[in-house]
Amino acid sequence: MAEFTMELNDEQKEIRDWVHGFAADVIRPAAAEWDEREETPWPVIQEAAKIGLYSLDFYAQQYFDPTGLGIPMVMEELFWGDGGIGLSIVGTGLAAVGVLTNGTDEQIGTWIPQMYGDADDVKVAAFCSSEPDAGSDVASLRTRAVYDEARDEWVLNGTKTWVTNGGIANVHVVVAQVEPELGSKGHASFIVPPGTPGLSQGQKFQKHGIRASHTAEVVLEDARVPGRCLLGGKEKLDERLARARERAASGGRNAAMATFEASRPAVGAMAVGTARAAYEVALDYARTREQFGRPIIDNQGVAFQLADMRTGIDAARLLVWRASWMAVNGRKFTAAEGSQSKLFASETAKKVTAQAVQILGGNGYTREYPVERMHRDSAIYTIFEGTSEIQRLVIARALSGMPIR
């Protein structure tokens, strides 16, 4: 087990600087254009693929970093560049992790390469979980998967919503109910291969922020997938369902929620990157903008805001790094430390970006300066991967041991 440390090693520093350079030289100059276009920034993703930044190998290397700091370090730098483009680059990872954690070796080797493609033919993937009536309430999923034993196929029906890369993905990973009476314990995940009849894109959402990231509904109408597309395989699913039936009356923690708990620090790192970017713009502006014959940073009202902004960002990063280290090293989140990191970092991003707009005044409210976009982008962090209210619920339950509602 790696010791927790605040000091990046030389290799990590090199990777951080490399990702930061890409964010500064490629992502930042393109951010305003793709935000305005509200389209997937394929040329930027392709540039990332050319240098190996958009690839399974790179993210696997960071994912298995024994210190736990690889993923949050990379996320912070990419989202320092831009939230929308950052999510376009890392969005495929949601589906890839789903396959890595639940799939067989054969499934991992078959499907994950198809999620990324290569530098000459870039692909993306989508993870489809939320539904119009089931966001935070994962037990209420209505998408059904029914096994056709005669043809060894699963038939999927339902509508997924808020899907990053939904409909444009080469590979979709879909969470569906196979045994509704078991609630969330009756879920399973399925690969929907490219070109599967019955899968289509529904509404594409026009969003407040992260507008360079494609978000849409995915509609499944009698979409048939081969039996081999059930992640983990039929035998493993049958064993899990049998255990769930035996324990149905005993309750216990939802395994899916435990997985989300471990992934939430990565979202916290995204929020830290956006907050840090806005803080740096505000700091530079306050040093150079003069009013009444002196830089506005000379005023306590501005200087104290900047002090609070920096303190909040550093505190958020510490919580994210602690949770990331705990997750990689198998430490139990006895106080919902994953949710703590996501909650504090996301709320910090909203606050810091709002303060940055205020410090820039009228300029901050215009699209001439990036803090306006950063403020819009920051709103998503308190919503996806569990709202702030859900994070507080998870933390309160962990602390009290009670089923707080």
Side-chain angles (χ1 to χ4, degrees), residues 190-240:
F190 300 85
I191 292 286
V192 181
T196 297
L199 183 147
S200 61
Q201 179 181 310
Q203 175 187 5
K204 178 186 175 182
F205 296 103
Q206 294 180 302
K207 305 187 300 293
H208 175 65
I210 56 166
R211 302 198 306 186
S213 174
H214 176 96
T215 309
E217 290 180 333
V218 171
V219 180
L220 298 149
E221 297 177 301
D222 290 331
R224 287 181 168 268
V225 301
R228 65 180 182 277
C229 289
L230 166 64
L231 287 181
K234 184 78 163 52
E235 183 178 344
K236 183 177 179 181
L237 173 65
D238 289 342
E239 292 174 357
R240 179 167 62 81

Side-chain angles (χ1 to χ4, degrees), residues 32-296:
E33 175 188 350
W34 290 101
D35 175 76
E36 194 70 28
R37 292 174 63 166
E38 297 192 53
E39 296 175 358
T40 300
W42 292 107
V44 180
I45 300 174
Q46 187 171 37
E47 287 301 311
K50 286 179 180 178
I51 64 170
L53 179 54
Y54 182 73
S55 69
L56 172 62
D57 289 346
F58 176 71
Y59 286 102
Q61 178 188 357
Q62 304 314 310
Y63 185 80
F64 292 110
D65 180 343
T67 70
L69 303 185
I71 289 294
M73 177 185 68
V74 169
M75 294 294 182
E76 179 177 337
E77 296 305 328
L78 287 175
F79 283 72
W80 173 89
D82 179 65
I85 294 179
L87 191 57
S88 289
I89 292 173
V90 306
T92 292
L94 298 173
V97 168
V99 176
L100 278 171
T101 55
N102 298 303
T104 64
D105 289 343
E106 183 179 356
Q107 289 170 333
I108 291 170
T110 298
W111 297 111
I112 292 184
Q114 295 186 49
M115 293 181 174
Y116 287 90
D118 56 45
D120 296 322
D121 187 21
V122 170
K123 305 293 185 183
V124 295
F127 183 75
C128 311
S129 178
S130 293
E131 297 181 3
D133 296 320
S136 300
D137 184 9
V138 295
S140 296
L141 292 184
R142 295 184 180 179
T143 297
R144 287 295 311 276
V146 177
Y147 186 55
D148 182 344
E149 188 172 0
R151 298 175 59 175
D152 185 26
E153 292 179 338
W154 289 89
V155 185
L156 277 60
N157 283 281
T159 299
K160 295 296 184 177
T161 195
W162 313 123
V163 182
T164 299
N165 298 330
I168 66 170
N170 194 47
V171 176
H172 291 76
V173 177
V174 176
V175 181
Q177 278 281 15
V178 295
E179 202 154 321
E181 60 271 22
L182 293 177
S184 59
K185 295 181 177 65
H187 293 175
S189 295
F190 300 85
I191 292 286
V192 181
T196 297
L199 183 147
S200 61
Q201 179 181 310
Q203 175 187 5
K204 178 186 175 182
F205 296 103
Q206 294 180 302
K207 305 187 300 293
H208 175 65
I210 56 166
R211 302 198 306 186
S213 174
H214 176 96
T215 309
E217 290 180 333
V218 171
V219 180
L220 298 149
E221 297 177 301
D222 290 331
R224 287 181 168 268
V225 301
R228 65 180 182 277
C229 289
L230 166 64
L231 287 181
K234 184 78 163 52
E235 183 178 344
K236 183 177 179 181
L237 173 65
D238 289 342
E239 292 174 357
R240 179 167 62 81
L241 292 177
R243 291 194 301 269
R245 291 186 202 102
E246 292 174 2
R247 301 172 185 170
S250 64
R253 192 177 182 196
N254 183 305
M257 293 304 292
T259 301
F260 287 143
E261 175 77 348
S263 69
R264 282 168 178 158
V267 180
M270 298 174 189
V272 171
T274 298
R276 189 183 111 212
Y279 159 76
E280 290 176 1
V281 173
L283 178 62
D284 289 343
Y285 186 87
R287 284 171 169 165
T288 57
R289 173 69 169 175
E290 291 192 1
Q291 291 287 282
F292 305 105
R294 60 180 184 177
I296 62 173

Side-chain angles (χ1 to χ4, degrees), residues 1 13 27 65 74 76 78 117 210 298 328 356 365 402-403:
M1 181 176 67
K13 290 177 181 176
I27 294 178
D65 180 343
V74 169
E76 179 177 337
L78 287 175
I210 56 166
D298 282 355
V328 166
Y365 200 66
M402 302 295 290

